[in-house]
Amino acid sequence: MSRGVFSAIGIAAALSISLTSCSSSSGPATTTGAAGTTGGNLVVGVTSDPDTLFPWKATQFQAVNVLQNIYGTLTEFDKDLNVVPGLAESWKTSKDGRTLTFVLRQGVTYGDGSAFDSKDVTSSLKAIMDESTAAVAATSLASVKSVDAPDEHTVVLKLSGPDAALPANLATINMAMLSSDDTEEKLNTAPNGTGPFTMKKRVASQSITLARNDKYWGAEKPKLDGVEFRVIPDESSIVSAMQSGNVQLAIFNDPLVAQTAQGGSITIAKTPQLNYHALQLNTRRGGLDDVNVRLAIQCAIDRKQVLDTAALSEGEVTGPITSPAFKSDPQQRPCPTRDLAKAAEYLGKAGKPNGLTVKAIVSQGEYATSVNEGQNLKAQLAEAKITLDLEVLESGAFVDRWVAGDFDAAVALNGGRPDPDGMYGRYFTSKGNLNKVAGYSSPELDKLFAEGKATTDPAARKEIYGKVSAELENNAAWIWLFTGYTYTGTTSQVKGFVPMASGSLQYLRTTTLN
Amino acid sequence: MRRVFVHNRVVRRVAGMAGTLFGVAVFVFVMLRAIPGNQITAGLGTEAAALTPVQREALERYYGLDQSLFTQFFSWLGNMFTGNFGYSARSQQSVLDLTLHSLPVTFELAVFSIVLALLIGVPLGMLSASRTNSPRDALGQVVSLAGLSVPAFLLATTLLSIFASSFGFNPNGQGFASLFENPLLNVEQMFLPALVLGFGIAAPILRTTRTAVLEVRSNDFIRTARAKGVPPRRLQVRHVLGNALVPIVTMTGLQFGYLLGGAVVVEQIFSIPGIGRQVLLGIQQKEYAVVQSTVLVIALAFVIVNLLTDILYRVIDPRVRAS
């Protein structure tokens, strides 16, 4: 095996080591791969069962969390959501940005023992791009014209244009590299990946048990003997299961539950999320086509008040981009704080000095704070003579209307992504596949997003997405409100786990149980 | 002549049951499709907006949503007769398999709950009736009021947190143990949920017992028995309770049937993998086959329990037989 393998993943390993050593002194800071210490079996409390075990279709949080530990991707994210090597030990972009060459890691095997090579990569990427497989990440590969494997360890992607976001897009579990011998049907019941754990047992709606993959390629081998994801549908029941020592790790969404859990042997770590709460405005409907109306709405809203009253102050006021590396400055927008005089001025400019009515859809039950947010926004906007007409919908009905773009405004919690192109390119470019839902695009944004894709220099990209962010806020395409936290509860035996802003459980591979 | 009469009644009864079940089948099928969203949006959530038309078609074909509703309904119902209850895409198991695992769990929970409810409800009801408007009657009233008004979820979470945080007793935080694998752990895991459910059901049983006992006691034959010198205990148990049993059995049967589908909240809180939770998960995921078939199984169980209750009080009460 080449030495290069180890140096390439050195970056990833070093990052995770530096982090784990902060959180615990006795953790897995030194890795000799020595056998002897058994890691024990960790029980993770989850509120529901994965809805699928097929990684290309998994979008549910629980499914992603489980599958991330079983499957591997060409690239990965580190704890700060930087893109680091995964199954590809390195990659190179050609000068014109139209060719991306991956050098694959050698000596990687699947859980069933078969070897991972370029054939698996080409077959996986081609299948993801094939619409008939209904893989959800297909559009992330839109710029890919062809996939070739000149040899066993090299894969070459020819692109229709430069795509700097592609390496980050390849890091999601929806881009898992499957063995070319496997079929969806087979993997639905028997997952077979290159990840740090392998699937051992599943009891429908009760538990999923993983076992350590001793042949895992990482320099640092997973420590735990196994991980059991145990389904306990009620978050407070998970807390009592942790108190009595039956469960050692859990992720909570409800801030109230997290507060009650804190204390005794349970520690709660708060991690800011990539997800963001926003009042989405559909600029193609109602009176919202007028930028002055939208700016009036923006000026009439105190984001801190929404956060304080609707979400118990658990979160941070945010601008559009939430990932640490590209973060927007929330103060950079017209009316960074509430300004009712300014709101009235904008309404005057729009020719609606007596205000107007905006209809908004709100989901009931999809996430805990939705209706409260809607009520607070309604109360605040009323003071600016804007009537927010709330239509509270069951979450299925909300998703249906949202997906169809059938709303004037929507109180929404949207998922974030580490790369701003992956996060907003699909919404705010005129050809983006979610543009119907976003309800806004402009030639400036199209240009900026294209530039962002074509630029590889991180500093230059950060500047470009700063402009994207400003463009979105200056036009009040949506009103970005706040980001919440995820709460990771661990009992005192758990060492070496690193919570991530994406809510990912990928650091189960560095976790030990004392 | 008499045999024909009985035969007719059985036929009518069976026809009635089949009609009820068919009605349930149609109702569930229609209601389920009236709920917005389908398996695609349930699985992908807002991510479904990113699907291209070709991707969407592929998924619709996979879930059988491309068929007409008429075809969907009759192929499902037809398959049910051959023992094919459909397939859960979520757990990759047949609904029959899932049901065979979850129904016994709920059945056990229901039996356990009913036993606890009877142990609480019947003696307290008799005690209440033994002297009306006395402190012991008030005790009965308080217990039944509490049973009726304290919501199950509140009692469940309270009990769970008291037992877990104060005594470290939380068998439900472990994986579920079936009665045959690990009977001791199973009984431990069933105890709290059965207590919560049983307490709720004890209330109507207590009230029914009280009313029935009072009514029976006012009958002439009791006075006669007492005059003949039947000892008080024998009088209470054999004459009063024996005759008060009919309404108690009816009430118990109804509650039992209700438990088979209605224990959802308690199953959810205590993570008991019963049939109520199976329906709930099915609705959340819009797994049509799971919901339709499971609801039909619950309805069938309800109908059977009703039938058994009928038969049982024919046995208990000769008057019903005579009519």
Side-chain angles (χ1 to χ4, degrees), chain A residues 48-53 57-60 128 130-139 184-185 188-189 202 204-206 228 230-234 236-237 240-244 246-247 366 394 396-400 402-403 414 417 426 433-434 437, chain B residues 35-38 41-56 58-59 61-63 87 89-93 98 157 160-161 164-165 168-177 267-273 277 281 284-286:
Chain A
S48 73
D49 211 15
D51 60 354
T52 174
L53 289 180
K57 284 183 186 146
T59 56
Q60 182 214 31
I128 292 171
D130 177 3
E131 290 186 330
S132 65
T133 61
V136 291
T139 49
E184 177 174 353
E185 203 181 6
N188 269 331
T189 49
R202 178 179 201 194
S205 81
Q206 289 187 56
E228 181 188 335
R230 187 175 295 156
V231 181
I232 300 177
D234 183 73
S236 359
S237 302
S240 50
M242 289 182 82
Q243 283 166 342
S244 51
N246 295 323
V247 168
E366 197 195 2
E394 180 269 332
F398 178 88
V399 171
D400 267 11
W402 193 91
V403 163
N414 287 345
R417 293 192 181 186
R426 53 203 203 133
N433 57 350
L434 291 180
V437 177
Chain B
I35 304 174
N38 56 28
T41 49
L44 296 178
T46 50
E47 215 43 51
L51 292 175
T52 63
V54 179
Q55 283 179 313
R56 184 172 279 276
L59 283 174
R61 236 185 346 269
Y62 177 73
Y63 290 122
Y87 192 72
R90 178 195 176 94
S91 59
Q92 297 289 321
Q93 268 181 298
L98 289 174
T157 41
L160 192 59
S161 71
S165 58
F169 174 81
N170 182 11
N172 298 90
Q174 302 165 38
F176 181 76
E267 286 179 355
Q268 188 82 345
I269 292 174
F270 289 101
S271 353
I272 306 275
R277 221 174 100 197
L281 281 176
Q284 281 169 356
Q285 287 297 317
K286 304 281 183 315

Side-chain angles (χ1 to χ4, degrees), chain A residues 25-95:
Chain A
S25 50
S26 61
T30 48
T31 52
T32 52
T37 42
T38 57
N41 284 297
L42 179 79
V43 181
V44 180
V46 293
T47 49
S48 73
D49 211 15
D51 60 354
T52 174
L53 289 180
F54 190 62
W56 295 346
K57 284 183 186 146
T59 56
Q60 182 214 31
F61 192 60
Q62 283 82 2
V64 168
N65 274 343
V66 171
L67 294 172
Q68 207 145 36
N69 286 292
I70 301 178
Y71 285 96
T73 43
L74 285 178
T75 59
E76 290 184 0
F77 293 116
D78 67 7
K79 49 112 185 153
D80 296 318
L81 300 173
N82 296 308
V83 183
V84 294
L87 290 174
E89 62 178 37
S90 66
W91 55 92
K92 220 168 67 192
T93 313
S94 66
K95 272 212 174 110

Side-chain angles (χ1 to χ4, degrees), chain A residues 95-434:
Chain A
K95 272 212 174 110
D96 65 356
R98 287 167 190 268
T99 310
L100 191 57
T101 309
F102 290 94
V103 178
L104 304 182
R105 202 172 292 284
Q106 299 187 27
V108 176
T109 55
Y110 283 96
D112 67 359
S114 63
F116 162 79
D117 61 26
S118 59
K119 202 172 136 210
D120 301 314
V121 178
T122 49
S123 72
S124 292
L125 290 178
K126 281 177 181 166
I128 292 171
M129 287 191 286
D130 177 3
E131 290 186 330
S132 65
T133 61
V136 291
T139 49
S140 299
L141 297 175
S143 61
V144 176
K145 279 201 317 202
S146 70
V147 186
D148 297 296
D151 65 57
E152 237 179 286
H153 306 296
T154 314
V155 172
V156 179
L157 303 187
K158 291 257 188 279
L159 310 179
S160 53
D163 188 352
L166 192 52
N169 286 337
L170 287 168
T172 68
I173 201 63
N174 297 142
M175 291 279 196
M177 293 297 122
L178 310 184
S179 162
S180 54
D181 301 327
D182 280 325
T183 60
E184 177 174 353
E185 203 181 6
K186 205 166 125 198
L187 295 175
N188 269 331
T189 49
N192 178 32
T194 57
F197 294 93
T198 57
M199 169 101 160
K200 194 171 156 198
K201 192 177 153 208
R202 178 179 201 194
V203 185
S205 81
Q206 289 187 56
S207 66
I208 286 194
T209 312
L210 310 184
R212 180 179 55 222
N213 175 8
D214 287 318
K215 292 185 189 140
Y216 181 59
W217 52 264
E220 211 182 350
K221 304 291 177 207
K223 311 284 186 305
L224 295 166
D225 298 319
V227 181
E228 181 188 335
F229 293 87
R230 187 175 295 156
V231 181
I232 300 177
D234 183 73
E235 284 200 347
S236 359
S237 302
I238 296 184
V239 174
S240 50
M242 289 182 82
Q243 283 166 342
S244 51
N246 295 323
V247 168
Q248 290 92 36
L249 193 151
I251 293 196
F252 299 108
N253 286 312
D254 188 337
L256 271 177
V257 173
Q259 273 173 22
T260 59
Q262 174 79 46
S265 61
I266 305 174
T267 317
I268 300 284
K270 276 188 197 179
T271 327
Q273 284 189 298
L274 292 178
N275 294 346
Y276 56 93
H277 297 251
L279 178 65
Q280 262 184 264
L281 303 176
N282 186 346
T283 67
R284 286 161 197 153
R285 285 177 41 164
L288 297 168
D289 50 345
D290 188 334
V291 65
N292 290 308
V293 171
R294 302 198 301 270
L295 285 167
I297 295 174
Q298 180 164 298
C299 288
I301 293 172
D302 178 353
R303 292 168 287 173
K304 187 79 176 60
Q305 195 191 109
V306 183
L307 175 59
D308 289 345
T309 55
L312 307 162
S313 311
E314 289 286 301
E316 287 163 9
V317 164
T318 191
I321 300 173
T322 54
S323 67
F326 296 90
K327 205 164 192 139
S328 302
D329 176 359
Q331 299 310 313
Q332 291 299 317
R333 56 149 68 168
C335 301
T337 53
R338 193 177 192 216
D339 189 341
L340 285 178
K342 203 81 189 216
E345 199 181 298
Y346 280 124
L347 276 184
K349 272 195 208 166
K352 298 206 163 89
N354 299 319
L356 76 161
T357 298
V358 176
K359 285 186 179 174
I361 56 170
V362 186
S363 81
Q364 169 89 280
E366 197 195 2
Y367 56 101
T369 54
S370 53
V371 176
N372 295 347
E373 282 172 42
Q375 298 288 5
N376 183 261
L377 289 169
K378 184 186 168 109
Q380 293 200 42
L381 289 172
E383 289 173 33
K385 294 187 192 163
I386 299 165
T387 311
L388 194 67
D389 213 347
L390 297 177
E391 191 181 349
V392 180
L393 300 168
E394 180 269 332
S395 63
F398 178 88
V399 171
D400 267 11
R401 292 271 300 271
W402 193 91
V403 163
D406 179 18
F407 59 85
D408 295 347
V411 180
L413 168 63
N414 287 345
R417 293 192 181 186
D419 190 274
D421 182 74
M423 187 156 164
Y424 287 120
R426 53 203 203 133
Y427 282 114
F428 292 113
T429 54
S430 49
K431 288 192 179 133
N433 57 350
L434 291 180

